[in-house]
Amino acid sequence: MRSTFFGLEIAKRSLFTEQAALNTTGHNIANSNTPGYSRQVVNRVQTPSMEYPHLNKPAGPGQVGTGVEITQIYRVREQFLDSQYRNESKTYGEWTSRSDILGKVEAIINEPSSSGIRTVINELWTSFQDLSKTSTPDAAIAARKIVAQRAVAVAEAFNHQSQQLNELDADITESIQIKVKTVNAKLEEIQSINVRIKELSVLGDIPNDLLDQRDLLVDQISRLVDVKVTEANSMYSLTIGGNVVIDANNAVTTLSETNPVVTGGEIKGLIDAKNIDVANYKNQLDLLAQTLATGEVKMKLENDYTIPNGVSVRGADGTVYNAGIVLPKGTEILVNGLNGLHELGYTMNSPLETGQAFFVSTGGSITAGSIRLNPDMLTNPANIASSMSMYNDGTIDRVVQGDNSLALMMSNLGNALMTFTDASGTVNTTLEGYFRGIVAEIGVRSETAQSNQYNAYVIASQIDSRRMSVSGVSLDEEMANMMMFQKAYAAAARALTTMDEALDVVINRMGLVGR
């Protein structure tokens, strides 16, 4: 037997249901611009119907509905799209880091420019050529001063780029540590949210907003590292770099700040940029500086050359020629870079002096960071050798002033083939050719990184758009829903009023006949 107030109960259920729908719609609208928020929907079902009472048969003529109720308020989310987005976000983050660092390396190289390494080296060769054309001592001293300043410019260009690369390397290391700390902090946040979600889930609740916060944290981590998610009993287990960082028991294993194991994301991009891009360029720059100073090169004598005491010369075929031997003009010899060539000649000083090493190191072997002009040549340009001829005036040996055959050979060094052996193999090319190769390689890497970054961005954006079409809040849709729920709420209120008036007739107006 149904209750007298059955209709009131149905209206009340309807009011409560529509009110919950309106509240959920308001929550959606309020969070339409909240990062990571997923649209929420009220799931409503009919309450169980009951048999309608009848007088003449045990079974009623049918069943009467009892109204509506809410079974749950759920968020609209597709995990497959989440997985796809995080995979592409990892790729985008990795190439963004590589592209950013390679862009900075390109800025450090600064080629082509009027102050780059290629330009200052060419100016050094030109200064040697100018020195080879001098015929008076005064002009020779002036030309030597220019040679010294050009050499200082070359050393400073190497030093400056080496210093910038070292600073960039340190910045990358610091950036990796900061990003690892960010990941570790977010892992602890996820661990905390995991606990709260589990507590509420045990009670039968669906903590939609906490679920959104947890997914947003995972999305943010996916930009930094490769993260995989496994869900069991409302708990997230995470792996990074193939290692479990949040296990099924919600225990957290943080990443190492000094040696994080990752296979994707911004941190992987920074590690690769540091260990591959920056390290390769530093090594190549060091090799260029070393080869300029001491790299083996085949040169042709511009004049007859009498090998001085204490000096030996290797022929192009490997034959060693010792002091006193006269090598004719045109003989091909092997020397160790600009230093080896300079040590074959004579300075302007008297008594006779052979040349010293042109470039020296501030400590250890010559590198881009340590190369500098021999200080003796900077303080006294007369120590720069340009002649390969000497004579004896009857008492002592003297240099033949005006013989600038060595200066001419040094000016030709820029066109000589030299051997470079680096991580990519061995090549025989000029100093300028090798440097052009370095610049081209960095340029191609940078262009490839930018292209991959753009492709990953496009794919990630497309997937995110699909996610938003599923989970995002459409204000138009929410406004339409609001009007629909509002009308339904008003209708339920009217039904409640109607029921109330009907009962008023029965309770307050019936039984008054005959009074």
Side-chain angles (χ1 to χ4, degrees):
M1 185 69 182
R2 66 181 178 89
S3 168
T4 303
F5 304 104
F6 182 63
L8 288 176
E9 179 65 21
I10 293 176
K12 184 195 72 175
R13 291 177 179 177
S14 177
L15 280 175
F16 286 171
T17 301
E18 300 306 333
Q19 188 174 34
L22 281 170
N23 289 338
T24 302
T25 301
H27 187 55
N28 286 340
I29 294 173
N31 288 283
S32 60
N33 294 318
T34 302
Y37 179 77
S38 301
R39 178 168 57 96
Q40 297 181 9
V41 175
V42 173
N43 187 41
R44 62 180 78 194
V45 297
Q46 306 96 321
T47 52
S49 57
M50 59 183 294
E51 292 182 356
Y52 198 80
H54 195 273
L55 295 175
N56 300 324
K57 52 184 180 180
Q63 292 191 324
V64 61
T66 58
V68 64
E69 67 176 352
I70 298 172
T71 57
Q72 65 177 348
I73 300 175
Y74 64 91
R75 62 178 188 150
V76 181
R77 193 97 182 182
E78 193 170 329
Q79 291 187 343
F80 175 70
L81 291 177
D82 284 341
S83 177
Q84 280 192 317
Y85 173 79
R86 288 162 188 163
N87 192 47
E88 287 304 321
S89 178
K90 167 197 67 178
T91 305
Y92 174 64
E94 180 177 347
W95 285 111
T96 297
S97 294
R98 291 287 295 273
S99 175
D100 179 56
I101 298 301
L102 284 167
K104 292 178 180 177
V105 173
E106 283 188 303
I108 291 174
I109 294 175
N110 193 27
E111 291 290 347
S113 73
S114 60
S115 58
I117 286 180
R118 187 174 62 86
T119 300
V120 295
I121 289 180
N122 285 336
E123 288 175 347
L124 176 63
W125 305 142
T126 302
S127 67
F128 277 123
Q129 191 171 39
D130 293 340
L131 175 59
S132 70
K133 297 175 182 175
T134 59
S135 57
T136 63
D138 290 342
I141 285 293
R144 279 174 165 78
K145 288 182 178 178
I146 294 176
V147 169
Q149 292 306 316
R150 297 303 187 198
V152 168
V154 170
E156 288 181 346
F158 276 112
N159 298 159
H160 183 60
Q161 288 201 10
S162 177
Q163 181 183 357
Q164 287 186 306
L165 288 173
N166 288 335
E167 291 174 353
L168 178 60
D169 188 86
D171 289 344
I172 294 173
T173 300
E174 184 178 357
S175 182
I176 291 172
Q177 292 173 348
I178 291 173
K179 290 183 184 298
V180 169
K181 287 180 181 177
T182 301
V183 172
N184 289 338
K186 291 185 183 299
L187 290 177
E188 291 175 355
E189 285 187 63
I190 291 174
Q191 179 197 37
S192 175
I193 293 176
N194 259 346
V195 173
R196 294 166 61 190
I197 288 175
K198 186 175 183 179
E199 290 172 350
L200 293 172
S201 298
V202 170
L203 299 175
D205 294 333
I206 302 177
N208 292 316
D209 295 328
L210 287 175
L211 295 173
D212 281 345
Q213 291 177 26
R214 186 174 64 180
D215 280 325
L216 178 61
L217 288 169
V218 176
D219 287 349
Q220 292 171 345
I221 289 177
S222 71
R223 175 79 179 266
L224 301 173
V225 294
D226 57 304
V227 59
K228 300 292 182 185
V229 178
T230 304
E231 184 175 7
N233 300 322
S234 303
M235 302 276 283
Y236 269 6
S237 298
L238 303 183
T239 60
I240 295 177
N243 299 315
V244 177
V245 291
I246 295 182
D247 63 17
N249 296 319
N250 207 28
V252 174
T253 304
T254 56
L255 299 181
S256 166
E257 293 183 15
T258 56
N259 186 28
V261 179
V262 296
T263 59
E266 290 185 3
I267 294 178
K268 174 66 162 52
L270 288 172
I271 292 173
D272 286 348
K274 173 184 172 68
N275 296 336
I276 298 175
D277 301 323
V278 176
N280 280 352
Y281 182 58
K282 286 174 65 177
N283 292 335
Q284 290 171 330
L285 201 61
D286 287 341
L287 180 60
L288 185 67
Q290 291 167 5
T291 305
L292 168 65
T294 61
E296 186 177 83
V297 59
K298 183 189 299 183
M299 299 296 297
K300 184 179 294 186
L301 293 175
E302 295 293 335
N303 209 344
D304 293 343
Y305 176 55
T306 302
I307 302 175
N309 293 330
V311 176
S312 62
V313 176
R314 288 181 298 150
D317 58 357
T319 303
V320 178
Y321 302 100
N322 296 315
I325 296 177
V326 178
L327 298 177
K329 177 181 177 181
T331 302
E332 290 186 332
I333 60 174
L334 294 175
V335 296
N336 293 327
L338 190 55
N339 284 359
L341 198 55
H342 191 263
E343 289 169 353
L344 296 180
Y346 302 106
T347 68
M348 291 184 68
N349 299 322
S350 181
L352 188 68
E353 289 182 355
T354 55
Q356 306 172 38
F358 191 78
F359 285 117
V360 295
S361 170
T362 55
S365 59
I366 291 179
T367 63
S370 67
I371 189 172
R372 67 168 179 168
L373 175 66
N374 191 323
D376 291 341
M377 299 175 195
L378 190 59
T379 55
N380 182 13
N383 288 325
I384 296 177
S386 66
S387 172
M388 299 186 74
S389 302
M390 47 80 73
Y391 69 97
N392 189 289
D393 64 357
T395 56
I396 60 173
D397 294 335
R398 295 185 183 277
V399 63
V400 177
Q401 303 290 345
D403 172 30
N404 294 317
S405 56
L406 180 63
L408 184 59
M409 290 180 67
M410 290 191 287
S411 71
N412 292 331
L413 190 61
N415 299 321
L417 295 179
M418 308 183 82
T419 302
F420 298 86
T421 302
D422 55 23
S424 60
T426 300
V427 294
N428 291 315
T429 183
T430 62
L431 287 165
E432 182 175 351
Y434 183 70
F435 187 65
R436 284 179 183 274
I438 295 174
V439 175
E441 181 182 1
I442 295 294
V444 171
R445 284 187 180 184
S446 179
E447 185 177 357
T448 301
Q450 290 176 17
S451 177
N452 290 339
Q453 178 196 15
Y454 176 74
N455 292 337
Y457 169 77
V458 170
I459 296 174
S461 297
Q462 289 177 346
I463 296 173
D464 194 42
S465 296
R466 290 175 59 191
R467 281 205 317 175
M468 292 303 296
S469 68
V470 174
S471 303
V473 175
S474 167
L475 292 179
D476 292 341
E477 183 180 351
E478 296 301 327
M479 291 303 295
N481 287 340
M482 182 181 293
M483 294 175 63
M484 182 175 64
F485 299 147
Q486 183 186 20
K487 293 296 184 184
Y489 185 87
R494 180 64 61 85
L496 184 64
T497 301
T498 302
M499 293 296 175
D500 179 59
E501 290 177 353
L503 290 173
D504 180 62
V505 172
V506 173
I507 296 172
N508 297 321
R509 300 180 190 176
M510 291 178 67
L512 297 178
V513 178
R515 287 186 180 182

